[in-house]
Amino acid sequence: MAQTGPLRPVPARDTEVDLLVVGSGTGMAAALAAHELGLDTLIVEKTAYVGGSTARSGGAFWIPDNPALKAAGAVDSPERAEAYVRSAVAGSAPEERWRAFLEHGAETVRMLGRTTPMRFQWAREYSDYHPELPGGSAAGRSCECRPLDLRVLGRERRRLRPSALAAPVPMPVTGADYRWMNLMAKVPLKAAPRIARRVAQGIGGMALGREYAAGGQALAAGLYAGVLRARIPVWTDTSLVRLVREGGRVAGAVLSQEGREVTVTARRGVVLAAGGFDHDTAMRHRHQSPSLEEGWSLGAEGNTGDAIRAAQEAGAGISLMDQSWWFPAVAPLPGGAPLVLLAERSLPGSLIVDADGRRFVNEAADYMSFGQRVLERERAGDPVRSMWIVFDQEYRDGYMFAAGLFPRMPVPRSWYEAGIAHRGAGPAALARSAGLPEEAFGATLRRFNELAATGIDEDFHRGRSAYDRYYGDPTVTPNPNLRPLRDDRLYAVKIVLSDLGTCGGITADGRGRALDGTGSPIEGLYAIGNTAANAFGRTYPGAGATIGQGLVYGLIAARDAAGRTD
């Protein structure tokens, strides 16, 4: 169903509730948990749409040893999960943060099963991002919502935040579907039935008056359906102005809607779940890198750090502000947005070089680690300056690219005109077109092809990890991530360091409580999701860890506000 614009907001007014939730992404999980615990709850959302960055995401959540995993036969345990997270975090976050996440994960999934229409499935084989660490799983721990009929929202469907990706035909695309869609030209017997099933579900559903969606749309819609069913009010177009303090506790907030301020008194507290500072360029330059440009983030446009600043004004401390869920993406066209680049970096017949024509990273590494490597170089005084994914005609004919170019489709002319794509009949011609040093680029390509021919990347170990191989091409042996490039027709597409949102923010404890500069809790104030400093420190343990911790800490914060300590 084509959206015709969001609904008018519910008028804000001075009121009193038990719990105020600021932000309508994973903050909806906090509201659902609070409602189930008997708390009178209100959600406020800065933008006109409900769903936050969750609605724009792939929708996976990473919660170890949860009921959906067990039901699907996954092998996991609290001990394995603890060993893995401890090793992955490596001291970059307080132990109480990630331990509380693990202890309340299964309970969160059960709560969502009770309070929403969602049903979950295991994204089997979607490896943890660091499966080689103790307790890691190559089979993966990521789960996602099964395709959901968005008509469950009724007229409120118009208030659901649109997806960042649009399928060429009406069809729900799960994470597992996305993997095989990328390989449809290479393994049609595996991919075609899956794609046909989703097309039939999408188009057939329309004939029955249904609108099936998957990924972040399904997850956000499922949460919102639960909120509507519980009759939890949601005020959209309502911004946080400041927190209200009484003595040493936070007792509510001043909000603004259409230029009018109202005060909401919160008897049990305020949960800040308003995302990070994705679209505050000044904050990003100050805390992260001056090379980041406005509009590069894939996070929701309302994520401008309002909640973080308000918490600081109330005395909260901040940490990990240099961190984001980094995500390399195709450089945007003028006035446009970056394009998703996920499986493309892992597929054989491609490599990534910097402005000097050199490889500098395992291209298939998880996207957060990729971005951290880029910024490590910048801070060491050796910036990449520009990045290019280089591939040959066989690659272009064999795989999807940027979630919109099907195999054999030509690279759009607009990309060439904007200078974000180049082509050449050989390495020298491509280097001249893209502005790369001819000799250095030629040497890099020769070295890469030599290594690819052996199946062993001695320089950056591409294909060694099970995570690398998940998005590889199983028809290519001995390494599904490596193949020498044919140099008669080459392409280069510019990459920028995008992100799925920032993940540094308010310091919080294992109960989700915001902490002041001395590490003491601020009574009545909670921070979850990307508004809080990452519970996993400087690490991304698996697909959906950002959503996973938002959901789990929503439950944790609600329990604490309700006085539940069992």
Side-chain angles (χ1 to χ4, degrees), residues 33-276:
H35 177 80
E36 195 175 45
L37 291 167
L39 299 187
D40 177 25
T41 304
L42 167 66
I43 300 171
V44 297
E45 163 60 42
K46 175 181 179 180
T47 72
Y49 293 107
V50 169
S53 295
T54 300
R56 293 173 53 83
S57 73
F61 62 84
W62 190 87
I63 299 176
D65 197 38
N66 76 68
L69 291 173
K70 291 182 177 180
V75 176
D76 202 6
S77 67
E79 294 76 21
R80 288 191 58 80
E82 178 185 340
Y84 176 63
V85 177
R86 181 185 298 279
S87 182
V89 172
S92 62
E95 181 171 333
E96 69 168 310
R97 289 279 288 156
W98 57 260
R99 187 175 289 280
F101 163 81
L102 293 176
E103 290 172 352
H104 291 87
E107 181 186 359
T108 300
V109 175
R110 286 192 292 268
M111 181 273 293
L112 293 175
R114 292 191 303 268
T115 61
T116 78
M118 292 188 289
R119 296 297 176 262
F120 304 117
Q121 63 188 25
W122 177 27
R124 190 186 302 266
E125 297 180 7
Y126 198 164
S127 171
D128 289 344
Y129 286 171
H130 308 282
E132 64 281 354
L133 294 177
S137 174
R141 295 172 162 113
S142 299
C143 295
E144 58 187 327
C145 179
R146 294 181 183 275
L148 185 75
D149 180 9
L150 301 187
R151 301 290 177 93
V152 70
L153 298 177
R155 70 186 298 270
E156 290 293 315
R157 166 69 180 90
R158 287 173 54 193
R159 214 186 296 275
L160 179 69
R161 174 169 292 282
S163 174
L165 298 174
V169 297
M171 59 183 291
V173 179
T174 68
D177 298 331
Y178 173 81
R179 177 192 186 190
W180 293 108
M181 283 182 67
N182 278 285
L183 296 167
M184 61 184 172
K186 302 300 289 291
V187 284
L189 294 179
K190 181 82 171 181
R194 182 182 291 270
I195 295 169
R197 185 165 63 251
R198 292 306 183 202
V199 170
Q201 186 176 24
I203 296 177
M206 290 181 65
L208 297 173
R210 300 170 184 167
E211 183 188 4
Y212 287 108
Q217 287 283 282
L219 182 59
L223 290 168
Y224 193 25
V227 164
L228 294 172
R229 186 163 68 188
R231 298 187 177 181
I232 300 170
V234 180
W235 296 350
T236 52
D237 290 301
T238 305
S239 302
L240 173 64
V241 176
R242 62 184 176 275
L243 297 168
V244 175
R245 300 195 71 179
E246 291 182 358
R249 72 181 302 272
V250 169
V254 175
L255 310 170
S256 176
Q257 185 188 78
E258 299 181 336
R260 182 173 55 87
E261 290 192 354
V262 300
T263 299
V264 174
T265 301
R267 293 181 290 267
R268 298 296 186 93
V270 176
V271 177
L272 299 179

Side-chain angles (χ1 to χ4, degrees), residues 135-449:
S137 174
R141 295 172 162 113
S142 299
C143 295
E144 58 187 327
C145 179
R146 294 181 183 275
L148 185 75
D149 180 9
L150 301 187
R151 301 290 177 93
V152 70
L153 298 177
R155 70 186 298 270
E156 290 293 315
R157 166 69 180 90
R158 287 173 54 193
R159 214 186 296 275
L160 179 69
R161 174 169 292 282
S163 174
L165 298 174
V169 297
M171 59 183 291
V173 179
T174 68
D177 298 331
Y178 173 81
R179 177 192 186 190
W180 293 108
M181 283 182 67
N182 278 285
L183 296 167
M184 61 184 172
K186 302 300 289 291
V187 284
L189 294 179
K190 181 82 171 181
R194 182 182 291 270
I195 295 169
R197 185 165 63 251
R198 292 306 183 202
V199 170
Q201 186 176 24
I203 296 177
M206 290 181 65
L208 297 173
R210 300 170 184 167
E211 183 188 4
Y212 287 108
Q217 287 283 282
L219 182 59
L223 290 168
Y224 193 25
V227 164
L228 294 172
R229 186 163 68 188
R231 298 187 177 181
I232 300 170
V234 180
W235 296 350
T236 52
D237 290 301
T238 305
S239 302
L240 173 64
V241 176
R242 62 184 176 275
L243 297 168
V244 175
R245 300 195 71 179
E246 291 182 358
R249 72 181 302 272
V250 169
V254 175
L255 310 170
S256 176
Q257 185 188 78
E258 299 181 336
R260 182 173 55 87
E261 290 192 354
V262 300
T263 299
V264 174
T265 301
R267 293 181 290 267
R268 298 296 186 93
V270 176
V271 177
L272 299 179
F277 53 102
D278 319 357
H279 295 285
D280 188 308
T281 306
M283 285 183 75
R284 303 205 68 162
H285 286 177
R286 181 165 67 253
H287 293 290
Q288 298 185 330
S289 168
S291 65
L292 300 173
E293 294 190 14
E294 186 173 352
W296 279 6
S297 178
L298 296 168
E301 79 281 356
N303 298 346
T304 55
D306 305 1
I308 296 174
R309 287 189 294 270
Q312 286 184 278
E313 291 169 2
I318 54 174
S319 62
L320 297 171
M321 294 291 281
D322 60 331
Q323 295 298 306
S324 289
W325 307 107
W326 302 113
F327 194 95
V330 174
L333 292 170
L339 299 176
V340 170
L341 199 68
L342 180 56
E344 294 87 342
R345 296 182 292 109
S346 302
L347 291 166
S350 69
L351 70 155
I352 292 175
V353 299
D354 61 15
D356 294 321
R358 303 175 297 175
R359 285 183 78 205
F360 61 93
V361 70
N362 169 11
E363 294 90 345
D366 71 276
Y367 32 92
M368 187 174 187
S369 296
F370 186 107
Q372 288 171 336
R373 174 59 182 147
V374 170
L375 294 181
E376 284 170 6
R377 283 194 48 178
E378 182 177 296
R379 290 161 186 157
D382 180 28
V384 298
R385 302 199 310 281
S386 65
M387 298 181 286
W388 301 88
I389 182 168
V390 176
F391 51 87
D392 60 11
Q393 189 63 47
E394 182 178 341
Y395 175 100
R396 179 73 290 275
D397 291 343
Y399 310 116
M400 293 228 357
F401 191 81
L405 297 185
F406 286 89
R408 299 185 179 87
M409 282 178 62
V411 175
R413 177 175 296 181
S414 59
W415 292 19
Y416 295 113
E417 292 172 348
I420 66 171
H422 298 269
R423 57 189 166 190
L430 182 66
R432 285 194 297 272
S433 179
L436 299 170
E438 290 183 36
E439 185 175 342
F441 175 68
T444 294
L445 188 57
R446 287 191 297 273
R447 170 67 175 171
F448 179 84
N449 282 347

